[in-house]
Amino acid sequence: MDLSSFRVQPGPVDLTSHPTSGSPGFDGGKAAGKDALAAVAEELADLQERLVATGRSAGDDAPSVLLVLQGMDTSGKGGTVRKVFGLLDPQGVRVASFGAPTPEELAQDFLWRVARKVPGPGQVGVFDRSHYEDVLVARVRSLASPEEVERRYGAINDFEAGLRAGGTRIVKVLLHISPDEQKERLLARLDDPTKHWKFSPADIDDRALWADYQRAYEIALERTHSEDAPWYVVPAGSKWYRNLVVAQLLRDELRALDLHWPSASFDPDEQRRRLTEQDPLA
């Protein structure tokens, strides 16, 4: 699958030109997609273990990876975290979700709470929603002045450039769905009492602002896409396909680190001799 087809190109962004459904570039259906994900999972696990091992041996000099997930309600951010990051060893994963800011967070710059949740050396991190809420919701709902929103685009670029300079690879994904697909998923939640906790009347309020949110996303992607912190627009109409694409994006970021198993700081032969000669009950 050519993942570059999902990568945003420099310049103006038109989300209507990006598919919201189907499985472009993949020859096969749901069953084949699940098999492909299982194959990716094996390599992901190996690459992540190398990253964790590097973190143990190199300390603060070890790299890290941050995946930023954004999308309209029901686009599957939580499901993607469960299905993709569930393939990894939790000891090397840091998951952070960002809802409405608390009074403490509002008293700080908008990036303050985000900076505290970035992955440490040797970790893979994921933001289920992120600092982009502060230029998306803030723009659509007029929660900040146009001048402040404009400032935040630059602040985000500087923040992400700093992370990259410190050894964190960043990949940003917009899970792209259609309003019709969102309607079906919201109706499914209303039809299932066990899913009512996932529904909020505010979801319908936001649907009324769909065009405004799409425009806000287009501007955010245009203003914050870069070679070192790229945006990808992934069709999220098919959950299995969404999971497969995101898993492959994460795998490719880990591959790019060119990780090797760290050398032992001890003599394995000497430790083997000690182990075979030792009688712990003597």
Side-chain angles (χ1 to χ4, degrees):
M1 189 187 304
D2 181 12
L3 298 178
S4 66
S5 64
F6 306 114
R7 188 179 175 116
V8 169
Q9 298 303 307
V13 176
D14 178 9
L15 285 178
T16 63
S17 67
H18 293 266
T20 59
S21 60
S23 54
F26 184 79
D27 296 327
K30 185 175 181 179
K34 289 188 173 182
D35 289 342
L37 181 61
V40 173
E42 184 174 354
E43 185 178 2
L44 265 179
D46 175 73
L47 290 169
Q48 189 219 0
E49 188 175 5
R50 293 175 185 235
L51 180 61
V52 172
T54 302
R56 295 274 182 89
S57 63
D60 291 342
D61 292 330
S64 59
V65 175
L66 173 62
L67 175 69
V68 175
L69 290 177
Q70 286 288 154
M72 296 293 285
D73 292 321
T74 76
S75 60
K77 297 178 290 296
T80 302
V81 172
R82 289 191 298 273
K83 294 295 185 178
V84 175
F85 282 78
L87 303 173
L88 304 178
D89 185 338
Q91 72 172 325
V93 174
R94 186 171 194 185
V95 179
S97 299
F98 299 95
T102 66
E104 179 188 19
E105 291 168 344
L106 285 172
Q108 310 291 331
D109 182 74
F110 78 103
L111 288 170
W112 177 78
R113 64 175 182 164
V114 178
R116 303 170 72 195
K117 300 292 186 179
V118 298
Q123 289 186 324
V124 176
V126 57
F127 286 172
D128 176 355
R129 296 188 188 272
S130 67
H131 41 300
Y132 284 94
E133 295 296 297
D134 293 287
V135 293
L136 295 167
V137 180
R139 184 186 186 95
V140 173
R141 293 288 186 179
S142 299
L143 300 179
S145 68
E147 294 77 14
E148 172 60 15
V149 173
E150 189 68 21
R151 180 193 74 82
R152 291 177 180 179
Y153 295 127
I156 286 172
N157 287 332
D158 291 343
F159 171 67
E160 293 178 350
L163 290 180
R164 188 67 176 83
T168 300
R169 296 188 67 90
I170 305 169
V171 58
K172 301 176 291 193
V173 176
L174 170 60
L175 300 178
H176 195 31
I177 62 169
S178 69
D180 289 341
E181 179 65 29
Q182 188 196 56
K183 180 180 179 180
E184 292 304 312
R185 293 181 181 182
L186 288 174
L187 286 172
R189 290 181 181 180
L190 288 171
D191 290 341
D192 184 353
T194 69
K195 301 297 184 182
H196 286 177
W197 66 274
K198 299 179 70 174
F199 182 88
S200 169
D203 296 340
I204 299 178
D205 297 334
D206 280 341
R207 268 179 63 80
L209 300 171
W210 188 276
D212 294 333
Y213 272 107
Q214 295 301 288
R215 183 57 187 147
Y217 268 112
E218 289 172 343
I219 294 171
L221 268 60
E222 176 185 341
R223 296 293 302 278
T224 63
H225 173 78
S226 70
E227 187 65 27
D228 288 338
W231 273 104
Y232 294 84
V233 181
V234 175
S238 295
K239 298 176 182 179
W240 65 266
Y241 182 74
R242 171 202 74 200
N243 298 336
L244 177 60
V245 173
V246 174
Q248 290 182 334
L249 286 170
L250 180 59
R251 176 203 60 195
D252 285 1
E253 290 302 311
L254 287 167
R255 275 180 178 175
L257 292 174
D258 192 24
L259 297 163
H260 301 280
W261 295 109
S263 300
S265 60
F266 51 85
D267 182 347
D269 290 334
E270 171 63 16
Q271 299 310 309
R272 183 180 296 106
R273 182 195 62 76
R274 291 182 61 213
L275 181 63
T276 55
E277 292 178 357
Q278 183 184 65
D279 182 357
L281 298 179

